[in-house]
mmCIF file of all heavy atoms in Angstrom:
data_model
loop_
_atom_site.group_PDB
_atom_site.id
_atom_site.type_symbol
_atom_site.label_atom_id
_atom_site.label_comp_id
_atom_site.label_asym_id
_atom_site.label_seq_id
_atom_site.Cartn_x
_atom_site.Cartn_y
_atom_site.Cartn_z
ATOM 1 N N GLN A 161 157.564 38.433 -49.107
ATOM 2 C CA GLN A 161 156.653 38.942 -50.100
ATOM 3 C C GLN A 161 157.484 39.352 -51.342
ATOM 4 O O GLN A 161 157.364 40.537 -51.744
ATOM 5 C CB GLN A 161 155.807 40.040 -49.585
ATOM 6 C CG GLN A 161 154.933 39.724 -48.363
ATOM 7 C CD GLN A 161 154.062 40.810 -47.932
ATOM 8 O OE1 GLN A 161 154.061 41.841 -48.412
ATOM 9 N NE2 GLN A 161 153.508 40.693 -46.732
ATOM 10 N N TRP A 162 158.161 38.418 -51.871
ATOM 11 C CA TRP A 162 159.050 38.799 -53.122
ATOM 12 C C TRP A 162 158.229 39.356 -54.234
ATOM 13 O O TRP A 162 158.766 40.109 -54.880
ATOM 14 C CB TRP A 162 159.749 37.456 -53.461
ATOM 15 C CG TRP A 162 158.897 36.394 -53.980
ATOM 16 C CD1 TRP A 162 158.313 35.455 -53.151
ATOM 17 C CD2 TRP A 162 158.469 36.135 -55.299
ATOM 18 N NE1 TRP A 162 157.535 34.569 -53.857
ATOM 19 C CE2 TRP A 162 157.457 35.001 -55.264
ATOM 20 C CE3 TRP A 162 158.675 36.720 -56.563
ATOM 21 C CZ2 TRP A 162 156.952 34.532 -56.286
ATOM 22 C CZ3 TRP A 162 158.043 36.237 -57.649
ATOM 23 C CH2 TRP A 162 157.217 35.082 -57.546
ATOM 24 N N ASN A 163 157.119 38.871 -54.358
ATOM 25 C CA ASN A 163 156.234 39.373 -55.541
ATOM 26 C C ASN A 163 155.541 40.598 -55.434
ATOM 27 O O ASN A 163 154.784 41.097 -56.259
ATOM 28 C CB ASN A 163 155.260 38.172 -56.031
ATOM 29 C CG ASN A 163 154.535 37.608 -54.909
ATOM 30 O OD1 ASN A 163 154.740 37.940 -53.761
ATOM 31 N ND2 ASN A 163 153.531 36.840 -55.270
ATOM 32 N N ALA A 164 155.881 41.417 -54.318
ATOM 33 C CA ALA A 164 155.634 42.711 -54.181
ATOM 34 C C ALA A 164 156.437 43.615 -55.129
ATOM 35 O O ALA A 164 156.108 44.656 -55.480
ATOM 36 C CB ALA A 164 155.692 43.288 -52.745
ATOM 37 N N LEU A 165 157.593 43.005 -55.496
ATOM 38 C CA LEU A 165 158.520 43.600 -56.461
ATOM 39 C C LEU A 165 157.796 43.423 -57.829
ATOM 40 O O LEU A 165 157.546 42.201 -58.348
ATOM 41 C CB LEU A 165 159.880 43.008 -56.460
ATOM 42 C CG LEU A 165 160.758 43.373 -57.628
ATOM 43 C CD1 LEU A 165 161.117 44.876 -57.515
ATOM 44 C CD2 LEU A 165 162.025 42.580 -57.568
ATOM 45 N N ARG A 166 157.588 44.417 -58.598
ATOM 46 C CA ARG A 166 156.943 44.278 -59.835
ATOM 47 C C ARG A 166 157.198 45.467 -60.700
ATOM 48 O O ARG A 166 157.604 46.504 -60.343
ATOM 49 C CB ARG A 166 155.452 44.198 -59.734
ATOM 50 C CG ARG A 166 154.831 45.196 -58.840
ATOM 51 C CD ARG A 166 153.340 45.511 -59.231
ATOM 52 N NE ARG A 166 153.241 46.302 -60.467
ATOM 53 C CZ ARG A 166 152.144 46.825 -60.944
ATOM 54 N NH1 ARG A 166 150.976 46.498 -60.363
ATOM 55 N NH2 ARG A 166 152.154 47.420 -62.010
ATOM 56 N N HIS A 167 157.002 45.288 -62.016
ATOM 57 C CA HIS A 167 157.245 46.360 -63.031
ATOM 58 C C HIS A 167 156.171 47.489 -62.630
ATOM 59 O O HIS A 167 154.974 47.179 -62.241
ATOM 60 C CB HIS A 167 157.015 45.932 -64.451
ATOM 61 C CG HIS A 167 157.805 44.710 -64.828
ATOM 62 N ND1 HIS A 167 157.349 43.433 -65.103
ATOM 63 C CD2 HIS A 167 159.153 44.772 -65.081
ATOM 64 C CE1 HIS A 167 158.410 42.644 -65.339
ATOM 65 N NE2 HIS A 167 159.461 43.422 -65.404
ATOM 66 N N GLY A 168 156.579 48.772 -62.722
ATOM 67 C CA GLY A 168 155.718 49.837 -62.472
ATOM 68 C C GLY A 168 155.719 50.357 -60.969
ATOM 69 O O GLY A 168 155.301 51.403 -60.734
ATOM 70 N N HIS A 169 156.402 49.513 -60.192
ATOM 71 C CA HIS A 169 156.547 49.857 -58.700
ATOM 72 C C HIS A 169 158.068 50.219 -58.537
ATOM 73 O O HIS A 169 158.918 49.215 -58.531
ATOM 74 C CB HIS A 169 156.186 48.778 -57.829
ATOM 75 C CG HIS A 169 154.898 48.524 -57.551
ATOM 76 N ND1 HIS A 169 154.241 47.659 -56.782
ATOM 77 C CD2 HIS A 169 153.714 49.201 -58.212
ATOM 78 C CE1 HIS A 169 152.908 47.691 -56.858
ATOM 79 N NE2 HIS A 169 152.576 48.680 -57.679
ATOM 80 N N PHE A 170 158.402 51.457 -58.588
ATOM 81 C CA PHE A 170 159.793 51.879 -58.735
ATOM 82 C C PHE A 170 160.599 51.976 -57.358
ATOM 83 O O PHE A 170 161.872 52.164 -57.298
ATOM 84 C CB PHE A 170 159.896 53.178 -59.490
ATOM 85 C CG PHE A 170 159.513 53.092 -60.939
ATOM 86 C CD1 PHE A 170 158.186 53.334 -61.253
ATOM 87 C CD2 PHE A 170 160.273 52.699 -61.867
ATOM 88 C CE1 PHE A 170 157.741 53.184 -62.574
ATOM 89 C CE2 PHE A 170 159.941 52.560 -63.147
ATOM 90 C CZ PHE A 170 158.647 52.811 -63.524
ATOM 91 N N ALA A 171 159.901 52.117 -56.334
ATOM 92 C CA ALA A 171 160.503 52.244 -54.926
ATOM 93 C C ALA A 171 159.849 51.576 -53.979
ATOM 94 O O ALA A 171 158.587 51.355 -53.891
ATOM 95 C CB ALA A 171 160.678 53.764 -54.683
ATOM 96 N N TYR A 172 160.715 51.187 -52.898
ATOM 97 C CA TYR A 172 160.142 50.337 -51.670
ATOM 98 C C TYR A 172 160.867 50.833 -50.478
ATOM 99 O O TYR A 172 162.076 50.799 -50.370
ATOM 100 C CB TYR A 172 160.503 48.927 -51.923
ATOM 101 C CG TYR A 172 159.958 48.246 -53.236
ATOM 102 C CD1 TYR A 172 160.653 48.524 -54.403
ATOM 103 C CD2 TYR A 172 158.738 47.578 -53.259
ATOM 104 C CE1 TYR A 172 160.235 47.997 -55.729
ATOM 105 C CE2 TYR A 172 158.314 47.161 -54.445
ATOM 106 C CZ TYR A 172 159.054 47.383 -55.677
ATOM 107 O OH TYR A 172 158.513 46.872 -56.910
ATOM 108 N N TYR A 173 159.967 51.357 -49.582
ATOM 109 C CA TYR A 173 160.589 52.202 -48.610
ATOM 110 C C TYR A 173 160.755 51.657 -47.132
ATOM 111 O O TYR A 173 159.836 50.811 -46.721
ATOM 112 C CB TYR A 173 159.616 53.428 -48.310
ATOM 113 C CG TYR A 173 159.226 54.085 -49.669
ATOM 114 C CD1 TYR A 173 158.107 53.832 -50.260
ATOM 115 C CD2 TYR A 173 160.075 55.034 -50.343
ATOM 116 C CE1 TYR A 173 157.696 54.396 -51.518
ATOM 117 C CE2 TYR A 173 159.832 55.629 -51.480
ATOM 118 C CZ TYR A 173 158.541 55.279 -52.045
ATOM 119 O OH TYR A 173 158.149 55.959 -53.234
ATOM 120 N N THR A 174 161.748 52.041 -46.417
ATOM 121 C CA THR A 174 161.798 52.011 -45.044
ATOM 122 C C THR A 174 161.563 53.422 -44.481
ATOM 123 O O THR A 174 161.583 54.276 -45.269
ATOM 124 C CB THR A 174 163.145 51.478 -44.469
ATOM 125 O OG1 THR A 174 164.210 52.367 -44.960
ATOM 126 C CG2 THR A 174 163.511 50.075 -44.973
ATOM 127 N N MET A 175 161.312 53.569 -43.203
ATOM 128 C CA MET A 175 161.173 54.963 -42.672
ATOM 129 C C MET A 175 162.474 55.732 -42.900
ATOM 130 O O MET A 175 162.399 56.876 -43.127
ATOM 131 C CB MET A 175 160.917 54.829 -41.141
ATOM 132 C CG MET A 175 160.654 56.048 -40.509
ATOM 133 S SD MET A 175 159.206 57.091 -41.186
ATOM 134 C CE MET A 175 157.885 56.009 -40.433
ATOM 135 N N ALA A 176 163.645 55.129 -42.686
ATOM 136 C CA ALA A 176 164.883 55.847 -42.868
ATOM 137 C C ALA A 176 164.969 56.365 -44.335
ATOM 138 O O ALA A 176 165.398 57.460 -44.522
ATOM 139 C CB ALA A 176 165.992 54.888 -42.535
ATOM 140 N N SER A 177 164.777 55.456 -45.372
ATOM 141 C CA SER A 177 164.830 55.915 -46.697
ATOM 142 C C SER A 177 163.853 56.936 -47.084
ATOM 143 O O SER A 177 163.965 57.826 -47.934
ATOM 144 C CB SER A 177 164.828 54.712 -47.689
ATOM 145 O OG SER A 177 163.525 54.114 -47.570
ATOM 146 N N LEU A 178 162.602 56.790 -46.488
ATOM 147 C CA LEU A 178 161.559 57.807 -46.743
ATOM 148 C C LEU A 178 161.988 59.138 -46.180
ATOM 149 O O LEU A 178 161.835 60.190 -46.878
ATOM 150 C CB LEU A 178 160.231 57.371 -46.010
ATOM 151 C CG LEU A 178 159.118 58.213 -46.486
ATOM 152 C CD1 LEU A 178 158.580 57.870 -47.843
ATOM 153 C CD2 LEU A 178 157.931 58.009 -45.445
ATOM 154 N N GLN A 179 162.589 59.166 -44.942
ATOM 155 C CA GLN A 179 162.978 60.343 -44.383
ATOM 156 C C GLN A 179 164.067 61.098 -45.332
ATOM 157 O O GLN A 179 164.163 62.277 -45.461
ATOM 158 C CB GLN A 179 163.653 60.240 -43.004
ATOM 159 C CG GLN A 179 162.535 59.856 -42.006
ATOM 160 C CD GLN A 179 163.080 59.672 -40.610
ATOM 161 O OE1 GLN A 179 163.902 58.670 -40.375
ATOM 162 N NE2 GLN A 179 162.860 60.523 -39.672
ATOM 163 N N GLY A 180 164.909 60.147 -45.962
ATOM 164 C CA GLY A 180 165.909 60.612 -46.924
ATOM 165 C C GLY A 180 165.385 61.286 -48.126
ATOM 166 O O GLY A 180 166.110 62.193 -48.706
ATOM 167 N N LEU A 181 164.195 60.928 -48.386
ATOM 168 C CA LEU A 181 163.569 61.558 -49.690
ATOM 169 C C LEU A 181 162.796 62.756 -49.287
ATOM 170 O O LEU A 181 162.691 63.689 -50.079
ATOM 171 C CB LEU A 181 162.598 60.483 -50.340
ATOM 172 C CG LEU A 181 163.439 59.328 -51.052
ATOM 173 C CD1 LEU A 181 162.468 58.252 -51.294
ATOM 174 C CD2 LEU A 181 163.891 59.960 -52.385
ATOM 175 N N LEU A 182 162.231 62.770 -48.113
ATOM 176 C CA LEU A 182 161.490 63.972 -47.617
ATOM 177 C C LEU A 182 162.274 65.142 -47.272
ATOM 178 O O LEU A 182 161.988 66.232 -47.622
ATOM 179 C CB LEU A 182 160.667 63.592 -46.298
ATOM 180 C CG LEU A 182 159.495 62.563 -46.506
ATOM 181 C CD1 LEU A 182 158.959 62.170 -45.167
ATOM 182 C CD2 LEU A 182 158.302 63.268 -47.222
#
Side-chain angles (χ1 to χ4, degrees):
Q161 299 177 13
W162 61 274
N163 46 356
L165 174 66
R166 50 151 285 186
H167 303 111
H169 286 181
F170 293 94
Y172 305 82
Y173 312 98
T174 59
M175 182 62 73
S177 65
L178 187 77
Q179 289 178 296
L181 287 162
L182 289 168

